[in-house]
Amino acid sequence: MSEKKFYVTTPIYYSNDIPHIGHAYTTLAADVLSRWNKIKGKEVFFLTGTDEHGKKIQKVAEKNNKTPKEFVDELIPKFKKSWKDLNINFDRFIRTTDKDHEKIVQEIIKKIYDKGDIYLGKYSGYYCTDCEGYYTEKDLENGCCPIHKLKIEKLQEECYFFKLSKYKKELLKLYEKNPEFISPKYRRQEIINRVKEELNDLSVSRTTFDWGIKFPFDKKHISYVWLDALFNYYSATREKGKEKFWPADIQLIGKEILWFHAVYWPAFLLSAELELPKKIFAHGWWTFNNEKISKSHGKVIHVDELVSIAGVDSARYFLFRATPFGQDGDFSKSALIQRHNDELANKFGNLISRTAGLIEKTSFEKCENKLLKKLNLKEIDKKMQDLEFDKALNLIFEFIDNCNEYVQNKKPWETKDKSILYELADSIKAISILLWPFIPESCEKISKQFGFVVGKNSFEKIKIPLKISKIKKQEILFKRIECRENEQN
Ligand code: MSP
């Protein structure tokens, strides 16, 4: 296994509707990490996709008078378009209806069954189709699902069970030996407590609908959607040339699906005798103007709307600057516009246009860039590795402040000092390389303007002095946006 590889995944999203800001958030985070690892010279595999089986999808397809396959086939191009609009560069978009995935899931079910970890039994209990998850009586809130607050079904059917309880000890050992396996740290204890308290065997097949992967040894049973879906992360690496990427380095998810990923997933892998991912990172949830994002209440921001507020880069920047990754955050258009104006337009944009304008008039002259000493690359890299995106951005923006102060103090428009202008241009190169994972479109424009390269392997080029080229002032990168005081939604 090469140290130079990096495999990052997002949850595969239910294909019952087009993606919104919440789905975009995880996928963008994976894109940021993927790009960061590319600039660090790693070979990256970035996987995202859709979870297309199960009763939830079957129900919505029926409502739309379509077969489930027709329904998902029409929806997937919209998912892909959203990710393109956000400048998300995944390496594979996996669908659980992909033939290679279905085949692998069947092989794994057979393997687990042959081993004796799957047995036939009878399930009696509660099931929320929106979560595609099981609940016990004490989990319910007034007879409703604690997450979706909707009435919950009582199931009673013959099904296969997975011997989850058998893995209790091994799971607890895993959490103890690998404290980073469940990240951030503050989410770990809750899972440990729940596993310690009670870990029942898990119902992993259904017989009352047929939209899913059939059990290879008993075709009237359809795989539980999570057993099918979780293995997407592995099946994507069975493609020729991709084998080396398993196990995943980081699996990004939202906090509401941590239980499935921190408990079921490693237990399934242990049973299938496969290596475990290195880290499951659960981020927080976005609210919209302090209210839960909910389609039924009309409080949803879809990708086209998100991008239309201040452009794709400002949306990407806002989501990672405004809230520590891991914690909950509140989204409002006015907050996004404010950061766009104050940080991207005033601080970063002005530095670029001012420097380019002065160089165009005066030209510049190579010298040692002493300003770079103020850029703490090691610390920024550490923050990125710890997924502290907001802190990494803070450090980069502190350096932008240093550069702006430098221009202000040295007044190169009066002194015509060509060395100062070189230091600024060379610093802009460093900043653009570091910001490329967050705001790729803008950084690519700047790199063309100033004559350097961003992207793959560029981190190590920060220390290589910028070549002298003809630099011209260009159109404004971040135009200020008028923000109405009461701009809320
Ligand atoms: N299909 C399952 C995942 C299977 S992975 C093997 C699923 N899909 S989902 O469509 O419901 O997407 C869940 C993911 O969307 C969350 O884990 C999170 O990444 C993201 N979000 C959905 N709403 C969100 C917010 N309001 N805020 C932040 N992210 C949220 O669960």
Side-chain angles (χ1 to χ4, degrees):
M1 186 183 50
S2 142
E3 275 302 301
K4 293 287 258 179
K5 68 109 192 155
F6 180 76
Y7 178 26
V8 60
T9 67
T10 73
I12 46 169
Y13 307 105
Y14 288 126
S15 44
N16 59 337
D17 203 354
I18 55 170
H20 61 60
I21 184 173
H23 310 118
Y25 185 48
T26 328
T27 323
L28 280 170
D31 189 59
V32 168
L33 275 178
S34 154
R35 289 177 189 264
W36 182 262
N37 281 278
K38 280 184 185 162
I39 71 168
K40 296 286 316 283
K42 294 207 180 167
E43 192 183 350
V44 174
F45 183 37
F46 164 14
L47 179 74
T48 190
T50 38
D51 191 351
E52 304 188 357
H53 291 131
K55 194 156 177 198
K56 184 182 175 108
I57 309 294
Q58 183 159 341
K59 255 170 64 181
V60 70
E62 271 162 18
K63 234 173 145 181
N64 284 275
N65 293 320
K66 302 219 159 89
T67 65
K69 188 69 170 74
E70 279 167 358
F71 183 80
V72 294
D73 281 351
E74 276 174 28
L75 193 69
I76 301 317
K78 295 182 187 152
F79 259 90
K80 290 188 178 163
K81 176 166 188 306
S82 289
W83 297 162
K84 191 161 183 260
D85 291 348
L86 284 167
N87 213 347
I88 289 170
N89 266 329
F90 51 81
D91 295 296
R92 175 164 173 189
F93 189 101
I94 193 167
R95 302 176 53 180
T96 49
T97 50
D98 287 344
K99 290 288 161 262
D100 61 335
H101 169 75
E102 293 189 339
K103 184 168 166 272
I104 283 158
V105 170
Q106 284 193 323
E107 285 167 9
I108 285 168
I109 291 174
K110 171 95 175 32
K111 184 170 179 193
I112 300 180
Y113 175 70
D114 288 345
K115 196 175 164 180
D117 278 355
I118 285 180
Y119 62 92
L120 195 60
K122 205 167 188 152
Y123 179 79
S124 169
Y126 297 93
Y127 191 79
C128 170
T129 308
D130 282 276
C131 300
E132 296 281 16
Y134 299 96
Y135 287 100
T136 61
E137 184 114 38
K138 72 172 189 323
D139 297 326
L140 307 186
E141 288 174 7
N142 300 322
C144 294
C145 157
I147 297 192
H148 294 93
K149 319 281 179 214
L150 297 169
K151 267 264 166 283
I152 205 150
E153 287 181 78
K154 179 127 203 216
L155 292 185
Q156 209 150 20
E157 58 186 70
E158 181 196 84
C159 70
Y160 284 96
F161 281 89
F162 170 69
K163 285 188 184 164
L164 185 59
S165 57
K166 175 180 157 187
Y167 290 94
K168 183 172 176 164
K169 257 200 188 142
E170 261 182 281
L171 287 173
L172 290 170
K173 208 162 85 195
L174 162 73
Y175 309 142
E176 199 187 306
K177 274 187 130 180
N178 304 281
E180 301 249 305
F181 180 75
I182 303 176
S183 290
K185 267 197 216 107
Y186 51 83
R187 298 203 191 278
R188 200 172 150 252
Q189 202 51 45
E190 200 190 315
I191 297 288
I192 297 179
N193 293 347
R194 252 179 92 184
V195 170
K196 275 188 183 158
E197 194 182 297
E198 193 175 35
L199 198 63
N200 295 324
D201 288 351
L202 178 71
S203 159
V204 286
S205 78
R206 302 287 303 274
T207 51
T208 48
F209 65 94
D210 60 3
W211 178 236
I213 299 182
K214 289 188 171 62
F215 265 38
F217 46 85
D218 190 345
K219 300 260 160 49
K220 73 173 192 295
H221 286 261
I222 297 294
S223 167
Y224 171 40
V225 65
W226 277 96
L227 173 61
D228 161 357
L230 284 163
F231 274 99
N232 88 87
Y233 304 132
Y234 172 73
S235 56
T237 64
R238 294 309 88 193
E239 217 181 273
K240 208 163 174 257
K242 295 283 186 278
E243 297 91 340
K244 64 175 176 233
F245 287 105
W246 189 257
D249 294 85
I250 298 184
Q251 304 213 260
L252 299 174
I253 54 165
K255 62 181 182 181
E256 84 290 3
I257 52 174
L258 181 58
W259 178 254
F260 301 91
H261 282 82
V263 182
Y264 298 174
W265 179 219
F268 291 156
L269 287 167
L270 285 167
S271 173
E273 294 165 23
L274 295 169
E275 272 191 88
L276 303 183
K278 293 181 195 148
K279 188 188 284 224
I280 309 286
F281 189 101
H283 64 70
W285 266 45
W286 284 96
T287 49
F288 178 32
N289 296 328
N290 293 311
E291 288 187 69
K292 190 172 173 223
I293 293 180
S294 127
K295 203 180 146 204
S296 48
H297 292 91
K299 291 182 189 72
V300 180
I301 300 197
H302 291 119
V303 169
D304 49 356
E305 198 185 349
L306 177 65
V307 171
S308 73
I309 303 168
V312 55
D313 278 353
S314 298
R316 291 176 63 115
Y317 171 77
F318 175 80
L319 292 174
F320 298 104
R321 181 80 199 266
T323 303
F325 193 58
Q327 287 170 26
D328 292 341
D330 185 52
F331 182 88
S332 73
K333 289 186 183 176
S334 53
L336 193 163
I337 292 173
Q338 197 172 346
R339 285 200 185 261
H340 166 94
N341 285 342
D342 294 352
E343 292 158 22
L344 291 174
N346 287 3
K347 292 185 172 180
F348 187 42
N350 269 352
L351 175 68
I352 308 290
S353 60
R354 215 172 180 190
T355 308
L358 287 167
I359 294 176
E360 188 176 357
K361 278 195 211 128
T362 321
S363 87
F364 60 157
E365 210 168 77
K366 233 177 183 173
C367 67
E368 185 201 349
N369 181 2
K370 292 182 291 300
L371 250 179
L372 264 195
K373 291 197 181 101
K374 298 199 166 162
L375 181 65
N376 194 341
L377 283 178
K378 226 173 141 188
E379 198 54 24
I380 292 170
D381 188 30
K382 166 99 178 56
K383 299 290 176 218
M384 290 302 290
Q385 281 183 33
D386 293 343
L387 282 75
E388 294 185 305
F389 302 131
D390 61 319
K391 294 212 175 93
L393 284 168
N394 272 338
L395 289 169
I396 300 169
F397 270 76
E398 270 172 26
F399 183 63
I400 294 176
D401 288 343
N402 292 148
C403 293
N404 279 322
E405 277 161 27
Y406 197 61
V407 197
Q408 213 46 45
N409 295 339
K410 299 284 178 184
K411 301 187 176 26
W413 58 90
E414 281 175 10
T415 62
K416 314 274 184 242
D417 187 331
K418 295 181 179 180
S419 303
I420 303 280
L421 293 177
Y422 180 81
E423 286 184 278
L424 290 166
D426 190 57
S427 300
I428 285 173
K429 166 171 143 284
I431 296 165
S432 307
I433 288 172
L434 296 171
L435 284 181
W436 178 75
F438 295 95
I439 51 169
E441 194 178 282
S442 309
C443 293
E444 280 158 23
K445 281 188 191 157
I446 300 166
S447 74
K448 286 196 188 103
Q449 186 183 4
F450 283 76
F452 59 87
V453 181
V454 286
K456 261 189 165 184
N457 297 317
S458 56
F459 190 81
E460 61 186 23
K461 303 214 173 88
I462 291 176
K463 296 245 161 86
I464 300 174
L466 174 71
K467 285 201 188 102
I468 300 287
S469 64
K470 261 216 152 359
I471 294 176
K472 282 198 178 121
K473 203 168 166 169
Q474 309 260 323
E475 61 169 275
I476 293 174
L477 276 176
F478 304 98
K479 292 197 181 85
R480 282 187 63 83
I481 297 170
E482 188 85 36
C483 182
R484 288 179 296 276
E485 270 300 292
N486 57 356
E487 179 126 33
Q488 283 292 300
N489 36 52

